[in-house]
Amino acid sequence: MTKKSAWFVFLCLITAGSLFAQTAGQIEGTVKDASGALIPGAQIDVLGQKQGEKRQTLSGDVGSFTLPQLRPETYQVS
């Protein structure tokens, strides 16, 4: 392999890696009832509207939750 073709392969690999790095979105929030009281241990379901990605988590001790590492798209949270 020549220096020129080795450099080209290196640049292609660097570029390809950056294309897959765009998946670091997250959803975070707090679960409260109608009176505003925090709800610990609530189940949160997240569904991607285009790709159908499904994720679940539970709210923590103070009703907060975080769902990290989501693909960029529109989600339905329930």
Side-chain angles (χ1 to χ4, degrees):
M1 183 180 286
T2 67
K3 272 187 170 182
K4 199 174 204 178
S5 60
W7 183 248
F8 177 74
V9 170
F10 175 74
L11 288 176
C12 288
L13 291 173
I14 296 288
T15 304
S18 67
L19 293 175
F20 295 104
Q22 299 176 6
T23 61
Q26 72 179 26
I27 296 174
E28 54 187 39
T30 304
V31 183
K32 300 179 181 180
D33 67 14
S35 70
L38 300 172
I39 304 177
Q43 180 173 322
I44 293 91
D45 297 313
V46 174
L47 175 63
Q49 298 298 293
K50 292 183 181 182
Q51 297 180 16
E53 180 178 3
K54 295 179 184 179
R55 298 273 297 276
Q56 291 182 329
T57 192
L58 296 176
S59 61
D61 293 342
V62 293
S64 62
F65 68 92
T66 301
L67 283 159
Q69 302 298 317
L70 295 170
R71 293 184 181 121
E73 73 163 294
T74 303
Y75 290 90
Q76 176 182 345
V77 179
S78 56

